[in-house]
């Protein structure tokens, strides 16, 4: 060191409107690399424990990575992080699209935002400069109007804008941040944090060429990736159908969450499948910066619902959260719901799960027609879903309660309602039933951000067939592990793949370009870092970066008072799997507790509370956390 | 899996003379890879705790690795392992030369030897076959006569023979195994284990071509290595002067053990230096299989001592153990002592340190002229050293006591003598004064085989200047750590480099081709494994192999009753450094205990006794150790 990686971090205090540019050392960049890890390095140093997530003391970090902005597919993700208003814990969410690379081209790796503006503002960042601008005229607008307004005002249609809509302004606890109208930093309520700071948007534009230490080497990897995508079965499926392609296999596997997880197969699955979407609403596919896969859907409709093609098509999670999990088989309604979520900036998972909770309460008599102002909030009612989305975003009627998330809503309603509130650490369950894949379930329990499906590779996809095993063999995983197993081999596999997925959160790599079986191999990722930065790195070092990020997230939560006892499933997940080939399958509390024992020890965390040991913190260069 | 790595393990029961050929699975090979790790996989499964190391129940393993035998420099090392008669713990020692590659060419990765022959035998292994042959006529011979006898008997001068001389036969507790008369598996008394089994030698010869999955790739790395050696300053020094080149810098640094560690600079250093050897006794350099460095010395003399050129020149450790540590500045005498050790198969480190112990006892009046049969056993007496070597090997007079090692000798003599017995876990200290390099000292304390200088990279060589830092950056070590520091950064550096050096023990890689700053880089090692085996490996996976080996060695020792309290220095090392630029420097017991706390936790071992946690064993695929 140094090899010459230069990066800048923009610091903005919205209370004082002060703007500073920081140039961290190369050792800092090589230690944290970007994304969630880089964000945590700031949050743990500068954010005091116990502050109001929606108060001015919260710190909001937008972080790309040392790889972001390079002309290569799958490198476009960035992180938004802060203390979460939904969970009270470390909050983070990633999105791809074009915004992250544009931030890099504008001269910055990350933005650290403090304070609260006294009136609505937006940030305008371009070519190494930044300014805080008035956004009073944009307040109350949805994402589309806001993006258009800013582009017009600044006179450049290529400006990339990360925005909140009304849900963010109204502090819906699971409001998200959306860029290009369709790419969402979805979970943990980062949009509400923006709203609390009166920060309507961050607009970025840049023409700086990124320095790449070995351009020929990088070109080689990038071109190989483009070629690999052309024949790779997984990538081809994503290109043709996107994540909606998951609906049918998950339904056949009996792990498609249906009617608030009371069923695990949906009789209307075919109607909301990727195949059906392709035949009906689809206008084709779209992609993120420099990506050859182009897995995003573009849809439209002008029949029962007018669906704009500008807000993207529903992903798998949305088809399940607004579809099967609500008993809704109306694809057009789901597409409309997706559009509304992207307009208002609502996380589709938490939104759907909040409505699912309400529907189960309604059917159980815990919410009445009085509460819903006459709306028949039953499973299967597509119109009710669409109306509830608007209600939540605008905090109208019952929507105001649901805008708080199922944990708080369940506690308010009390009694049986608490059982229907399917959340972990306050965050609503994603749409993969862990009773059929224990690794995903362990990820739900252990994720620092509450229930999260992006914790580890989705085991059944590669283990039942053994396909993909070779691609994870660089991790030392040499033998297949059955999906339904809860033992030590599964915990080991989970831990290794979790570190990989968290590494993607640090490097800004897409899980769909680099998940098993990867089109981009693990060793290609190592080479990519080497080519871009000139660092003589290794998978060992990169795994340590990820391990470090995991330990930092754990430390964040421990200082907020959360530990082992919060790493738990809601009761319903301990009930037998209701449908499908593995009907009756259960994992016990003991299974989960034993897996946690092993997991903590594998991580170098103590068994009592999952706290990283002193030695582990030192090993990871995190001695500063002991101060 | 499988990718097609095929290997064979030869099993020999000397009691029954049964020979079997085992073909372990590819997963087994990829899990352990070779050397100490592969040996431990057998020892932990098949050797009961508490057996007499010199009884027929002990198991002796010779293990090369998946890389051994490839036509590339620095890949010639192999391991001999068993329960050690010196320490009662895991015993292992590596040697290079030609024997390991020849074993591979003869068709085997490893040999597992059980039982005890009823009369002296040797093993003859060639071209996939093996036989136990009578060695009665060779018993009592030194290494030279034995090797010559076997080659003549079998009619092939290219047979490679690993032999014990009289010291092995006489069960000197630190007897070694020697191949080609000059390459010693030096430490922990593996020669005594051979002797106890009445196994005089293992002769190997093979013409099988090794399958290499990517010969062009391998050729590329190998040729780059040859080129790198030509200009690499460290390798060039090794080529010109060998390890004797270390004498002068260590003396200048004030860490050259002198007169049984009572001093740390030697007034006669210049006379025993590599430079002086080059000007006086040297006949040039020699090398190991396929190596371009050729760091071994060839020496001869016909003056006061007749020194044969066939037994190699003294290495740094020998120059210090038979030289400075005995206050002897007579290079010719040291060269003679070295020859005798290689003839008799005595470990030069333990031999020199045993004599140093005796000299300090003699000067302190604890050993008298009666005990020595008139020999003036004072520091500086070169003749006495030469005579004592013979006495030890043949267990004559005082030599019989010293043949037991300093721990037992000190206990027998009692009183002050115990203070002069410089050992850890029963094994004599190597010749690097840890008071000037804490990482080496931590390695002494923690090494599973007792005091050992091959536990981690010798810190001062690359840290004081910062040179070499880039080469270890793939481990995530990004900043220099001062040699005299005992804190967490040092422990972290030690742990990472220890895993690397132990990896070399598993892969059979030479520390002089791949130590910081490496001629062969860490990433080249990864590529080499990939090219040879076809395994899509990574530095992450390789570090796990090493981590696994460390945990297995620890488990071996724990079941023999050794734990945290045995990971300690002899008292003398807590006294101030007596000479040199860091004169007065001390590390306290608290420094060492705090370092152990951190080290254990970094390893995933508990602090109480340094025992690998259940989770750690599962992480490393070592669940079978819990059975």
């Amino acid at each position: 060191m140094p090899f010459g990686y230069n990066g800048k971090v923009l610091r903005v205090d919205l209370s004082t409107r002060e703007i500073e540019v920081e140039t961290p050392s190369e050792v800092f960049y090589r230690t944290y690399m970007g994304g969630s890890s880089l964000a945590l390095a700031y949050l743990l140093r500068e954010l005091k424990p116990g502050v109001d997530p929606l108060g001015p003391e919260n710190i909001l970090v937008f972080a790309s990575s040392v790889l972001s902005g390079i002309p290569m597919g799958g490198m476009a993700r960035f992180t938004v992080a802060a203390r979460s208003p939904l969970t009270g814990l470390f909050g983070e969410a990633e999105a791809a699209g074009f915004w992250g690379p544009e931030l890099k081209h504008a001269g910055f790796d990350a933005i650290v935002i403090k304070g609260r503006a006294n009136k609505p503002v937006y940030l305008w960042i371009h070519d190494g400069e930044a300014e805080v601008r008035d956004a009073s005229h944009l307040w109350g607008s949805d994402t589309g109007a806001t993006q258009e307004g800013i582009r017009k005002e600044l006179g450049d249609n290529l400006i990339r804008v990360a925005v909140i809509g009304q849900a963010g302004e109204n502090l819906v606890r699971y409001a998200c941040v959306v860029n290009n109208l369709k790419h969402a930093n979805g979970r943990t309520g980062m949009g509400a944090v923006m709203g609390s700071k009166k920060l309507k948007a961050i607009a970025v534009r840049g023409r700086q060429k990124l320095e790449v230490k070995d351009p020929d080497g990088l070109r080689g990897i990038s071109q190989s990736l483009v070629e690999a995508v052309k024949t790779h079965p997984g990538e081809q499926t994503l290109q043709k159908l996107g994540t909606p392609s998951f609906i049918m296999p998950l339904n056949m596997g009996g792990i498609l969450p249906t009617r608030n997880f009371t069923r695990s197969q949906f009789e209307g699955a075919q109607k909301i499948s990727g195949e059906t979407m392709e035949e009906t609403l689809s206008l084709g596919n779209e992609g993120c910066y420099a990506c050859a896969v182009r897995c995003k859907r573009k849809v439209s409709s002008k029949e029962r619902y007018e669906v704009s093609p500008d807000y993207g098509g529903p992903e798998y999670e949305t088809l399940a959260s607004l579809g099967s999990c609500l008993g809704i088989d109306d694809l057009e309604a789901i597409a409309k719901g997706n559009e509304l979520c992207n307009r208002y900036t609502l996380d589709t998972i938490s939104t759907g799960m909040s409505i699912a909770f309400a529907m189960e309460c309604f059917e159980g008599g815990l919410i009445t027609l009085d509460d819903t102002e006459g709306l028949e909030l039953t499973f299967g009612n597509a119109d009710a879903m669409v109306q509830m989305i608007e209600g939540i975003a605008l905090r109208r009627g019952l929507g105001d309660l649901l805008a708080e998330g199922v944990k708080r809503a369940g506690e308010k309603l009390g009694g049986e309602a608490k059982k229907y509130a399917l959340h972990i650490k306050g965050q609503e369950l994603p749409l993969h039933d862990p009773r059929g894949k224990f690794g995903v379930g362990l990820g739900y329990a252990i994720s620092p951000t509450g229930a999260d499906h992006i914790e580890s590779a989705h085991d059944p996809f590669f283990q039942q067939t053994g396909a993909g095993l070779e691609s994870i063999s660089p991790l030392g995983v040499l033998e297949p592990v059955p999906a339904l197993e809860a033992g030590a081999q599964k915990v080991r596999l989970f831990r290794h793949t979790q570190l990989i997925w968290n590494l993607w959160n640090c490097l800004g790599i897409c899980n769909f370009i680099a998940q098993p079986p990867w089109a981009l191999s693990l060793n290609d990722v190592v080479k990519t870092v080497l080519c871009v930065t000139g660092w003589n790195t290794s998978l060992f070092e990169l795994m340590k970066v990820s391990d470090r990020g995991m330990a930092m997230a754990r430390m964040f939560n421990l200082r907020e008072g959360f530990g082992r006892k919060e790493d738990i499933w809601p009761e319903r997940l301990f009930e037998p799997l209701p449908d499908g080939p593995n009907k009756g399958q259960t994992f016990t509390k003991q299974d989960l507790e034993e897996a946690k024992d092993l997991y903590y020890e594998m991580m170098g965390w103590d068994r009592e509370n999952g706290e990283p040991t002193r030695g582990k913190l030192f090993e990871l260069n995190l001695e500063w956390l002991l101060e």
Side-chain angles (χ1 to χ4, degrees), chain A residues 219-290:
Chain A
R219 205 171 296 119
I221 303 168
S222 181
Q223 284 170 357
S224 299
L225 175 61
V226 170
E227 287 307 308
V229 163
K230 287 180 186 164
T231 56
H232 190 286
E235 305 294 1
Q236 282 301 302
T237 300
L238 283 169
Q239 192 168 74
K240 290 196 186 84
L241 299 177
T243 58
S245 65
F246 304 161
I247 287 280
M248 292 313 288
L250 266 73
N251 190 55
M252 278 187 282
I255 47 175
L256 180 68
T258 301
R259 294 184 181 83
N260 205 31
F261 282 77
T262 58
R263 312 300 305 192
S264 60
Q265 283 186 322
F266 181 41
E267 68 281 4
Q270 182 74 52
K271 293 189 183 172
I272 63 169
S273 67
E275 292 79 356
T276 300
M277 186 153 69
E278 202 49 32
E279 288 164 15
T280 56
L281 310 181
S282 176
L283 300 176
N285 62 337
E286 301 179 308
C288 298
Y289 177 78

Side-chain angles (χ1 to χ4, degrees), chain A residues 60-62 78-82 92-96 99 113 143 161-165 167-169 172-195 199-203 341-348:
Chain A
L60 181 66
V61 181
F62 286 69
F78 68 99
T79 291
V80 184
E92 73 158 309
E94 290 87 35
W99 191 91
I113 300 163
T143 53
V161 199
V163 190
I164 55 166
E169 296 176 8
V172 174
R173 287 189 185 268
Y174 45 84
C176 62
V177 181
V178 165
N179 76 82
N180 258 41
L181 311 188
K182 62 195 96 170
H183 301 284
N185 302 82
R187 310 224 69 197
T188 69
M190 295 299 98
V193 177
M194 275 183 81
L199 178 62
K200 181 67 175 169
I202 304 180
C341 284
N342 284 344
R343 282 186 183 275
Y344 293 131
T345 59
L346 281 171
D347 171 35
T348 61

Side-chain angles (χ1 to χ4, degrees), chain A residues 400-543:
Chain A
D400 190 39
L401 179 66
L402 298 183
E404 295 292 294
V406 300
K407 176 170 180 279
R408 288 174 175 82
E411 283 164 0
K412 183 119 186 227
L413 293 173
E416 287 292 291
K418 281 161 111 174
K419 284 196 194 163
Y420 307 158
L422 301 184
H423 71 90
I424 296 172
K425 301 186 184 81
Q427 176 157 273
E428 291 72 19
L429 290 189
L431 286 303
H432 297 261
D433 198 315
R435 290 172 287 187
K437 33 188 177 180
F438 185 76
V440 169
L442 185 55
Y444 282 8
I446 276 163
S447 166
T449 54
D452 179 13
H453 63 295
I454 319 277
E455 282 297 306
S456 84
H458 291 187
D459 21 330
F461 292 149
F462 65 98
Q463 285 167 83
Q464 280 169 351
T465 63
L469 195 58
E470 201 263 339
S471 69
I472 57 171
S473 69
L475 302 176
V477 177
L478 306 178
E479 290 172 302
V481 185
L484 293 178
E485 194 174 283
Q489 286 189 300
K490 173 54 64 84
V491 178
R492 181 169 63 217
L493 173 65
F494 167 76
R495 191 248 179 169
H496 286 344
T497 54
Q498 185 196 30
L499 284 174
I500 287 293
W501 279 41
N502 190 57
L503 176 60
W504 298 171
N505 288 354
C506 302
L507 289 174
I509 295 180
C510 176
N511 303 52
F512 291 136
I513 206 84
Q515 77 165 351
W518 289 282
L520 188 70
S521 75
L522 287 175
N523 285 329
D524 283 341
V525 171
V526 176
K527 276 187 227 160
T528 302
V529 177
L530 198 155
C531 289
V532 173
T533 61
W535 299 333
N536 177 24
T537 192
S538 71
L539 190 59
F540 179 84
E541 183 184 16
L542 296 183
M543 288 289 268

Side-chain angles (χ1 to χ4, degrees), chain A residues 53-55 115-117 164 168-169 171 191-199:
Chain A
L54 298 175
R116 171 158 61 192
I164 55 166
E169 296 176 8
L171 309 182
V193 177
M194 275 183 81
S196 75
K197 296 190 175 304
K198 296 255 182 285
L199 178 62

